[in-house]
Amino acid sequence: AILSYLFYRFKPHLSITKLSIYSLFIAFCVLLIGTNLGNAVKGKLPEEICHLTEMRQILLHNNDIQGTIPACFGRFSNIHTLVLYNNHLELPIPDEAIEGWTNLKTLFLNGNKLKGPFPQSLLKLPALEELDLGSNFLTGTFPAFNPDDIPRLKDLDLHNNELTGTIPSTLFDIQTLEVLNITKNSFNGSLPANIGQNFGNGNVLKKLDVGMNNLTGEIPESIYNASNLANLVLSSNNFTGQIRPDIFTSLFLLNSLVLDNNQFSGPV
């Protein structure tokens, strides 16, 4: 209701000058950013906001926003930050919206009520660097995708969902990937053999958290080539085999190594 009021309050001036449009844009930015500490903004995202096509950031986390993201959000071709975590948003996210986010770098939808398959279209955002869908109700397998469609992804967080199946090796073909957090899911199978692969200038992976899944098998040799790895969490799975004794020299930046509740054997 607040957003609708502001839009209609300023609407008579929209066609007068670019300055009035800019003023409206600023008014919305202040309102949206002003919710950073959490408020009680309720209801659905109004489509009136889609008239503000120059929007760069929307920060509406820690509120009580319900429903789905409107398809008209695709008009925000210049948006780079969309932060809507800890609300009550649901799937689907319209493809029409996602296709317009060609400059989106940060998308935080964690802590909502996203229930159903992983939205595959999110893996086709060319500028996306951070994607957090943690603490939702995503089900099914992680969809097949082309790493070239999402070449800048640095941080992918899918923790605390209901995802199943194997971890796709294509995730580790993303040369910019620094953080992968898939703890508290139901992934099975072994870790992909290309974790830590050398892209010619090393590997930038810094954090890998696959704890509390149903993963099996031995740790792939390539993981010891991930020389930038600082956090490695493998706990509460069914991994077997030995941890190489040179792990602390190969992964010399490690500051967190969590291996409990597995079936590892051999010397430390």
Side-chain angles (χ1 to χ4, degrees):
I2 296 175
L3 297 178
S4 298
Y5 169 77
L6 278 178
F7 176 75
Y8 287 112
R9 170 67 178 82
F10 285 96
K11 186 175 181 181
H13 304 288
L14 284 177
S15 61
I16 299 175
T17 64
K18 292 183 178 180
L19 180 60
S20 62
I21 296 176
Y22 182 74
S23 299
L24 178 57
F25 168 65
I26 293 298
F28 268 90
C29 279
V30 171
L31 172 66
L32 298 175
I33 294 174
T35 64
N36 274 351
L37 298 179
N39 286 288
V41 177
K42 297 182 179 181
K44 297 182 178 181
L45 292 167
E47 294 192 4
E48 290 85 358
I49 195 176
C50 298
H51 292 274
L52 304 173
T53 56
E54 294 302 312
M55 189 71 74
R56 301 296 201 276
Q57 297 184 68
I58 296 179
L59 308 175
L60 275 172
H61 47 288
N62 295 328
N63 280 288
D64 190 15
I65 299 172
Q66 303 166 2
T68 60
I69 294 175
C72 63
F73 266 45
R75 299 177 193 172
F76 300 144
S77 59
N78 293 314
I79 195 168
H80 58 75
T81 303
L82 181 54
V83 176
L84 296 170
Y85 65 79
N86 291 345
N87 280 287
H88 300 281
L89 292 168
E90 302 174 357
L91 292 177
I93 304 173
D95 287 346
E96 182 181 345
I98 297 172
E99 290 167 0
W101 297 340
T102 53
N103 290 294
L104 189 65
K105 294 182 178 180
T106 299
L107 178 59
F108 290 166
L109 293 173
N110 46 305
N112 277 283
K113 293 186 176 181
L114 306 183
K115 185 176 183 179
F118 186 100
Q120 186 172 9
S121 297
L122 294 180
L123 299 174
K124 295 182 180 181
L125 293 172
L128 193 65
E129 297 179 0
E130 299 176 282
L131 176 59
D132 193 341
L133 301 178
S135 294
N136 278 290
F137 303 91
L138 298 177
T139 59
T141 60
F142 194 90
F145 73 102
N146 185 343
D148 293 335
D149 291 338
I150 192 165
R152 299 182 183 179
L153 187 65
K154 295 181 180 180
D155 189 333
L156 177 61
D157 193 331
L158 302 174
H159 79 279
N160 195 22
N161 277 284
E162 301 169 12
L163 294 168
T164 60
T166 58
I167 302 171
S169 61
T170 44
L171 280 173
F172 301 99
D173 289 331
I174 303 174
Q175 298 187 26
T176 54
L177 188 66
E178 297 180 0
V179 176
L180 177 64
N181 184 357
I182 59 170
T183 190
K184 294 186 180 180
N185 278 281
S186 296
F187 285 105
N188 55 45
S190 57
L191 290 175
N194 61 335
I195 295 177
Q197 65 178 304
N198 192 321
F199 293 110
N201 57 346
N203 188 289
V204 298
L205 188 64
K206 297 178 181 178
K207 177 180 178 180
L208 178 63
D209 188 344
V210 299
M212 301 181 74
N213 280 281
N214 299 314
L215 299 170
T216 58
E218 299 187 1
I219 305 305
E221 287 293 310
S222 61
I223 202 170
Y224 297 97
N225 297 325
S227 58
N228 287 299
L229 201 59
N231 299 89
L232 178 59
V233 181
L234 305 175
S235 56
S236 299
N237 283 285
N238 294 297
F239 290 121
T240 57
Q242 297 186 14
I243 300 296
R244 268 177 31 182
D246 65 340
I247 186 172
F248 297 109
T249 54
S250 298
L251 305 179
F252 57 89
L253 294 179
L254 269 182
N255 58 52
S256 179
L257 175 63
V258 187
L259 304 174
D260 62 291
N261 292 317
N262 279 287
Q263 301 178 40
F264 290 119
S265 59
V268 178

